[in-house]
Amino acid sequence: MKAHLTLLAACLLSTGLARGQTTSTPTTGSMQTLSADSLKSSRSSLSGDTLPGNAGITVTAPMVNHTNEAVRPAPQETISTIPSRTDDVNTAASARPASREQKSKGYNNFAYAIYAGLNTTRFAGETLNGDQLSGRLGYQAGALFRAGGRLYGQLGAEYFASSSNYFRAGDGTSVSSIQDQINIQYLQVPVYIGYKLVQSLRGISAVRLQAGLEYANRISANSRSFNLNKSEIKSGTVNGLAQLGFDMGPVLLDLTYHHGFANAIQAVNSIGFAGSQRRVLSASLGWTF
């Protein structure tokens, strides 16, 4: 009887141990499965996916931590791109003054203009009864080309019509026999060297001072009662020039003094004419291109 009881107890004990091992094994396996699932859920939470088999459930705790770690480099990349954009802006801003300077240089280096105005002419040393003979109004029209910056050169061509009273020595029986009006038309070529005393930032407006020479070639002449022929009025003379000019945007104003170095009328003493040099004041208004 004791042997049977002992055998029964051994069987029950072995059965309990077997059941204990079977129960612990699934537990361990389920724990491992849960651990793997948790790992998968953590990974899927990083990619924004939900756990398989649990629709609508997302593990948020790991996502917060890992998301923050993943997003951190983004601001660094954004910050790293800001200097390059700033450099581009600075480069564009630095290019603007250069462009303005180029335009300014382009304007200063070359200029074309047309102009017209009035003049008054007299002959030096001509007097009648102690009074200098006055000039009469004439006119001129021309074009010019200017090249250079603040110091520049200028070349022009103009039609110049001048008129002046002139005195011829005579017997004095009548004023009309010794005084008359002489009209001469010239084609003149003035050459200047100029300097801008004051100018605007871009050089569009300026106050100019110019000096130069001009060659005046006679085209035609009318001496009225004096009946001077072409040989008695020189065909070409050289004059000195002094000019004060103003640039007001595209508008220019020039005040010029012409000083004749040579006699405009030949000295023909047999008929009472003495040589004389021209003295001319002119004012011109023009437009610059």
Side-chain angles (χ1 to χ4, degrees):
M1 185 69 178
K2 289 180 181 180
H4 290 289
L5 291 174
T6 301
L7 181 60
L8 179 61
C11 292
L12 292 174
L13 179 60
S14 62
T15 304
L17 291 173
R19 288 180 180 178
Q21 289 177 356
T22 304
T23 305
S24 61
T25 300
T27 304
T28 304
S30 62
M31 291 178 64
Q32 292 175 354
T33 303
L34 288 174
S35 300
D37 292 340
S38 300
L39 182 58
K40 290 179 180 180
S41 63
S42 300
R43 292 176 181 175
S44 62
S45 64
L46 292 176
S47 60
D49 297 334
T50 58
L51 289 174
N54 296 281
I57 299 175
T58 304
V59 180
T60 57
M63 181 173 62
V64 173
N65 296 331
H66 292 287
T67 302
N68 292 336
E69 293 178 358
V71 170
R72 280 176 195 167
Q76 295 177 358
E77 294 178 358
T78 304
I79 293 172
S80 65
T81 59
I82 291 175
S84 63
R85 293 177 184 175
T86 305
D87 294 340
D88 294 340
V89 172
N90 292 335
T91 302
S94 62
R96 290 173 187 170
S99 177
R100 291 179 181 175
E101 185 177 356
Q102 289 175 358
K103 291 181 179 179
S104 175
K105 287 182 178 179
Y107 180 86
N108 288 331
N109 286 342
F110 301 100
Y112 306 87
I114 55 174
Y115 61 89
L118 301 175
N119 64 73
T120 177
T121 304
R122 70 179 183 86
F123 293 99
E126 294 300 311
T127 61
L128 179 62
N129 297 331
D131 298 328
Q132 286 191 343
L133 296 179
S134 62
R136 299 195 179 200
L137 285 180
Y139 63 91
Q140 71 275 349
L144 63 85
F145 168 73
R146 185 184 302 161
R150 193 156 191 172
L151 180 66
Y152 60 90
Q154 181 175 305
L155 176 65
E158 63 184 14
Y159 175 81
F160 197 97
S162 67
S163 177
S164 176
N165 292 330
Y166 191 77
F167 166 76
R168 180 180 68 172
D171 56 11
T173 56
S174 65
V175 175
S176 60
S177 65
I178 63 175
Q179 177 186 358
D180 208 338
Q181 182 179 341
I182 297 179
N183 302 313
I184 309 175
Q185 290 79 42
Y186 295 94
L187 178 60
Q188 301 187 153
V189 180
V191 179
Y192 291 97
I193 293 177
Y195 182 75
K196 295 181 180 179
L197 301 175
V198 181
Q199 67 176 355
S200 62
L201 182 62
R202 293 179 58 197
I204 296 177
S205 300
V207 177
R208 299 174 281 106
L209 186 63
Q210 301 180 180
L213 297 172
E214 71 179 358
Y215 177 76
N217 184 65
R218 173 185 50 77
I219 300 174
S220 63
N222 178 12
S223 58
R224 304 183 67 164
S225 64
F226 288 163
N227 295 319
L228 295 174
N229 58 41
K230 290 183 178 180
S231 64
E232 294 168 334
I233 300 177
K234 291 189 68 173
S235 61
T237 56
V238 176
N239 304 321
L241 299 171
Q243 185 179 93
L244 178 63
F246 303 89
D247 291 335
M248 299 161 285
V251 179
L252 63 84
L253 175 64
D254 291 327
L255 305 176
T256 311
Y257 172 68
H258 310 247
H259 184 91
F261 294 127
N263 294 330
I265 299 177
Q266 300 283 14
V268 185
N269 295 326
S270 59
I271 57 175
F273 282 98
S276 184
Q277 301 85 32
R278 297 165 65 210
R279 303 289 185 260
V280 184
L281 291 174
S282 66
S284 299
L285 188 65
W287 186 269
T288 304
F289 299 95

